[in-house]
Amino acid sequence: MRTVHIAAKPFAVDLDLDRTALVVIDMQKDFLYPGGYGDFLGNDVTLLQRTIAPIQALLAAARRLGMTVIHTREGHLPDLSDCPPTKLTRWPEGNRIGDPGPMGRILIRGEEGHGIIDEVAPIEGEVVIDKPGKNAFYATGLDELLRGRGIENLLITGVTTDVCCSATTIAANDSGFNALVLADCVASYSPERHTAALDVIAAQGGIFGWVTDSAAVLAGLEAVA
Ligand code: TIU
């Protein structure tokens, strides 16, 4: 067993590296680039770009150690049959999922904006999960995939802290996985919501999981290498 010691809040944890996956959530052009879904919702997308460098460092370490790496993409079928009307119609026409944008139809699978940014692109052998919801466990088969690989622990990175990263962490907890959220590898369109979402996860003795950062995880990984 390769045990990794990771400093975290509310307390440090020892993880079996071979039962731990790096999860990179929704690092898509639609969220990180101007003209995508995040922009259409009225957000400053540049706030998310500080996650790129630390995620690249984590990916390099995970690949070196042969860890399971899972990327997710939020998006919908071109006919929107997998998009609940409630998710579609809450915003004005023209700013909705499926509407045309500079990178193709917003949040539609196969369009340019739906793609993962080049800087953290998946490589051969890594899992890419297409998800119609915010929570990566919803309607994806992720639970079965993780159990099939013997994964018990998730290192959560990606965007956004308070929406898809938080929703996935909360679902992971209910599904019986340990989730550690890496504070510098996740970002929100609102720094206040980023801090609040992380506080909720680690509060009450770790009610949903742990909060750590890339320096703590990389230090732990280097010690087992
Ligand atoms: N991936 C993800 O977080 N989806 C969102 O819609 N995030 C927002 O912050 N809007």
Side-chain angles (χ1 to χ4, degrees), residues 25-26 31 37 41 43 74 131 134 159-160 162-165 189:
I25 295 181
D26 299 0
F31 295 110
Y37 183 57
L41 293 174
N43 298 301
E74 182 179 352
K131 62 188 186 67
K134 306 301 186 193
V159 297
T160 61
D162 48 320
V163 181
C164 292
C165 298
Y189 296 120

Side-chain angles (χ1 to χ4, degrees), residues 1 17 35 42 58 63 74 79 128 132 138 141 148 170 174 183 199 205 207:
M1 188 165 106
L17 188 60
L58 258 298
R63 287 167 182 165
E74 182 179 352
D79 67 1
V128 179
Y138 173 70
I170 292 167
D174 281 342
D199 283 351
I207 197 72

